[in-house]
Amino acid sequence: MLKEKFVEFFPFVAYLSLGAFAFMLIAATLALLFFKPQTAKEQASKSTAWTLTLALGALAAGALGYYLMAAYDYPKMAFKVAAALVYAIAFAAGGSLSVTAGVRKTMMKSLYGLVATMFAAILFLMQFGGHEAENREFKVDLSDEKRLQHGAAVFRDYCLSCHGLALVRTNQMLKLGLSKEQLEATMLTSVDKIGEPMHVAMRSEDAKVWFGAAPPDLSLEASAKKPEWIYSYLTGFYKDDERPTGWNNIAFDKVAMPHVLWLEQGVQTLTEEGRKKEPAHRTHEDLVLTTPGLQGAEDFDRTAADVTNFLVWASEPDQNQRKQIGVGVMLFLALLSFVAFKLSKNYWKDIR
Ligand code: HEC
C-alpha cells in the first residue's frame, strides 16, 4: 500500500524537488559570485559555501540533464520549470531573511536576472511544441462523465484485449461516476476482482509474434504522446494492402496494430495526392472515406475523442479532484499570505 503510494507520487515530488534544487543552486552560485565578504568570518563561510554549491551543482546538473532529455513535451516541461522557479523564489525569499542584508540584496538581484533568463528560456522552449507532424486539432475535456464512461466502454470492448492499463485499478473506474454494480456488470471480466490493476490477458511475447510488435500498456500513453496525437492516430487508419494487417496509419507509418474500429469508422483510403507524398508528410487531408461505417464521420470522431479523453483521464485518474483541491489550496495560500504579510509588517514596525 505504502509502496504504491510512493510509486504514484515519487516522480512528481522528485521532479519538483529536483527543479527547485537546481534553481536554488543557480541562485546560490550567483549570490556567491557577487557577494563581497567584509570580514574573515564571511570569507571563510563563502569558501565553504562554494565547495558545497559546486559539489551539489555537479550532482544536480547530471540529474536535471537526464530529466530534460527524457521529457519531450515542451509546454508541459516549461510549466514544470516555471513551477520549480516559483518554488525556488519562495525558498530564497524566506531564506534571505536570515542572512545579512548584503547577501540578501545580491541574492534578490541575481534572482531577478534569473527570472528574466528563465522567461526567455521558457518562450524559447515553447517554440518546439508545434513542430511535429500535423495532428488533428483536439481539446481535452474531462468534464463530461457520460462521455468519459463511453470512452471507457469502447476501450473495454475494443482495446483491453490487447492493451492493459496496468496503472489504473478497476475501482478507480468508480471515479467516472459508475456505481459498483455497473462496474461489476460492465467493466470487469469474470476473472477480475474489484481493485485489481487493469492487466491484459495476452502475454506480450505472444503478441510480438502475432502482430510483430507488442501492444504497449496505455496507462501513461496520454503523458507520453500528446492527446492530439492519440486522436489523430485513432482516426488516422487507412487501407494499405502492402501491410500484413491491411491497414496503415497517418500518424504512425507501418503500424502493427490493426484498425480495430473499422466497422464503426468504415474504410479510409489515400487520395491520389496523398499517395505521392512521403508517409511522414501525409495528413488527414489526404484521406477519403471510401466505405462508410456504422457511425457517420462526425459520430466516429466523437467516439475517438471519447476514447482519447478516457486515456487522458486514465493517465491520472485523480486529476479532476486534484484540480478542484488545487483551487482551494491556492485560495487558502492567498489568504494566508495576506495575513502573514500584515503580521510581518506589524512585527517589524518598531524595529525599522
Ligand atoms: C489486436 C490487438 C490490438 C487491439 C485490439 C488494439 N491495439 Fe493498439 N496497438 C496494438 C499493437 C500491436 C500496437 C503497437 C504498434 C506498433 O508498435 O507498430 C498498438 C499501438 C497502439 C498505440 C500507439 C502506442 C505508441 O505510443 O506507440 C495506441 C495509442 C493504441 N494502440 C491505442 C489503441 C486503442 C485506443 C485501441 C482500442 C480502440 C487499441 N489500440 C486496440 C494492438 C492492438
Side-chain angles (χ1 to χ4, degrees), residues 188-209:
L188 303 190
T189 60
S190 53
V191 291
D192 289 336
K193 277 200 244 48
I194 280 198
E196 284 185 0
M198 296 176 64
H199 279 308
V200 18
M202 191 168 47
R203 296 186 332 144
S204 71
E205 298 90 70
D206 293 338
K208 236 186 201 141
V209 176

Side-chain angles (χ1 to χ4, degrees), residues 154-155 158-163 202 207 211-216 218 221 225 229-230 233-234 252 254-258 260-261 307 311:
V154 174
F155 191 86
Y158 291 96
C159 320
L160 199 54
S161 48
C162 292
H163 295 284
M202 191 168 47
F211 304 112
L218 294 182
E221 181 71 7
K225 300 262 166 84
W229 183 86
I230 300 176
Y233 173 74
L234 291 179
F252 191 151
K254 301 199 172 50
V255 71
M257 174 173 143
V260 292
L261 292 170
V307 176
L311 284 175

Side-chain angles (χ1 to χ4, degrees), residues 154-197:
V154 174
F155 191 86
R156 174 207 57 209
D157 291 342
Y158 291 96
C159 320
L160 199 54
S161 48
C162 292
H163 295 284
L165 283 177
L167 296 184
V168 180
R169 289 179 180 278
T170 43
N171 54 339
Q172 275 167 322
M173 291 288 170
L174 295 172
K175 292 175 189 153
L176 284 184
L178 291 173
S179 72
K180 223 171 172 160
E181 291 71 41
Q182 278 174 318
L183 181 67
E184 273 168 342
T186 61
M187 296 308 289
L188 303 190
T189 60
S190 53
V191 291
D192 289 336
K193 277 200 244 48
I194 280 198
E196 284 185 0

